[in-house]
Amino acid sequence: MSGMSAGRSAMRMGPAELVQAAAMARRFYLEGKSKIQIAEEFGVSRFKVARVLETALERDLVRIEIRVPAELDAERSDALRARYGLRHAVVVESPAEAEETTDPENLGEVAADLLGELVEEGDVLGLAWGRSTIHMAAALDRLPPCTVVQLTGVYDAGTAERGSVEAVRRAAQVSGGDAHPIYAPMLLPDAATATALRHQTGIARAFEYFDKVTVACVSIGSWEPGISTVHDMLSDEERAHYASLGVAAEMSAHLFDADGRRVGRDLGERCITVKADQLRRIPEVVAIAGGQRKAAAIDAVLRSGLVTSLVTDTSAADYLMTAGPTPKPALGRTDPDGI
């Protein structure tokens, strides 16, 4: 230990010094006054104020704590944001009782709060089909006035009122803006049927808003039963075909391999969905997805560069932090396959 350090540690603060240090710390940390203002009040130099505040920290007279709600993991969130070059990454504690749960409902609740921060008056909010986006919409309690548009058809048109359509209506109700739902299945038997549906009045009106969307909320699925809407809608033969192309994930009916490249583009011709290049032009695309079973799929979609922000859980985050080589920054909206 140097002589200076030893001397400093041996110094004791007398009662007057302690009282003054406490008063200065209160002005600075609690009342938000500047060091110059404090110096003027106490008749000392601002350099002395700086030394007193530093000593107050060293002597444990002042303790600084950074606290976030217990369910949020700030350290993992920041690390994940930096690794993938995201604008926002919010990591939520995984449910202890259900390690295999995908997209726990609390992800939707946190995503609802995030949208409350991101959406501004006059924005166009796009919502894609997904259980997590449905949970998010149900949890919404604040949104500025904005237009809400559905970005994809639904998994089952017979349940539209309880799914994506209801999510769009709920978000529009909270914001007080217009709603543009899509009453059509996401996947059609052939391209001709999909094309005909896209020209129907209500659907065409929703599609007109796709290029105006400023904030989008999407879900991510891995290529296995029950965790990918598209996977579940296809025949066994079709699943095998796309699996042979290396599909690892899907988002809004777009398929991706493990490196984030789009595969099976012919599927899009049969789908009612926003195009990949339209997603890339949206300033803020928030993905909601979590769980160990979706972790690899989340990594694949993040590598595509289509997503700018992520709400996930600790289970998926731990995988993402060590998944393959460090990806290119998403904020550059990289285009790994020349979309």
Side-chain angles (χ1 to χ4, degrees):
M1 179 181 295
S2 68
M4 182 177 294
S5 299
R8 175 176 290 182
S9 63
M11 289 173 57
R12 294 183 57 187
M13 296 180 73
E17 290 177 309
L18 285 169
V19 170
Q20 185 184 67
M24 288 183 175
R26 178 175 294 277
R27 304 290 195 279
F28 186 73
Y29 291 109
L30 299 183
E31 299 176 12
K33 291 188 176 181
S34 70
K35 293 175 184 176
I36 293 177
Q37 289 174 314
I38 297 170
E40 291 175 350
E41 179 182 349
F42 287 89
V44 298
S45 71
R46 61 186 177 91
F47 300 105
K48 181 173 181 179
V49 173
R51 287 196 301 270
V52 170
L53 293 175
E54 181 182 353
T55 302
L57 285 171
E58 292 174 350
R59 299 306 176 105
D60 216 20
L61 187 62
V62 173
R63 297 182 182 181
I64 298 176
E65 290 185 280
I66 300 173
R67 303 180 64 183
V68 295
E71 70 271 17
L72 299 183
D73 191 312
E75 186 175 349
R76 283 186 174 92
S77 298
D78 188 54
L80 198 60
R81 178 200 56 76
R83 174 172 168 79
Y84 286 90
L86 298 169
R87 185 170 290 115
H88 304 284
V90 182
V91 178
V92 181
E93 288 290 340
S94 301
E97 70 281 1
E99 292 186 0
E100 292 303 311
T101 299
T102 56
D103 301 340
E105 290 193 24
N106 61 339
L107 292 187
E109 296 168 2
V110 173
D113 287 340
L114 179 60
L115 282 189
E117 291 183 61
L118 299 180
V119 177
E120 298 180 354
E121 183 173 350
D123 275 347
V124 177
L125 172 62
L127 301 181
W129 159 264
R131 298 177 185 88
S132 57
T133 52
I134 292 170
H135 291 154
M136 179 279 300
L140 280 172
D141 59 9
R142 64 185 176 100
L143 272 181
C146 65
T147 299
V148 186
V149 61
Q150 193 169 324
L151 296 179
T152 65
V154 299
Y155 175 37
D156 181 352
T159 63
E161 294 297 323
R162 301 191 299 276
S164 298
V165 171
E166 177 56 30
V168 169
R169 285 179 170 173
R170 166 65 183 168
Q173 180 184 29
V174 173
S175 74
D178 293 332
H180 295 278
I182 294 178
Y183 294 94
M186 181 187 295
L187 180 66
L188 282 304
D190 51 65
T193 304
T195 299
L197 273 179
R198 292 189 197 105
H199 286 90
Q200 287 190 359
T201 303
I203 298 175
R205 187 177 298 117
F207 267 62
E208 289 174 358
Y209 277 92
F210 287 0
D211 286 327
K212 304 174 185 177
V213 173
T214 50
V215 180
C217 192
V218 300
S219 297
I220 294 172
S222 56
W223 199 245
E224 57 179 298
I227 311 185
S228 164
T229 300
V230 173
H231 180 282
D232 292 347
M233 288 191 290
L234 295 173
S235 67
D236 290 341
E237 183 179 354
E238 289 171 324
R239 290 173 193 145
H241 165 67
Y242 291 116
S244 71
L245 300 179
V247 60
E250 64 99 351
M251 178 183 68
S252 303
H254 300 294
L255 309 182
F256 304 87
D257 68 11
D259 294 320
R261 292 184 293 260
R262 284 185 62 210
V263 295
R265 300 189 187 205
D266 61 304
L267 183 66
E269 299 174 4
R270 297 168 48 195
C271 293
I272 302 296
T273 185
V274 62
K275 296 179 180 178
D277 60 343
Q278 290 175 314
L279 278 173
R280 194 178 299 281
R281 291 195 296 269
I282 296 174
E284 186 74 76
V285 178
V286 181
I288 313 170
Q292 291 181 2
R293 295 176 65 187
K294 278 194 176 183
I298 297 170
D299 175 62
V301 172
L302 291 182
R303 289 176 185 275
S304 75
L306 293 176
V307 169
T308 62
S309 297
L310 174 70
V311 178
T312 190
D313 63 356
T314 53
S315 177
D318 286 344
Y319 173 92
L320 293 171
M321 288 307 301
T322 58
T326 302
K328 295 179 181 179
L331 290 184
R333 308 307 288 270
T334 55
D335 188 353
D337 58 353
I339 292 175

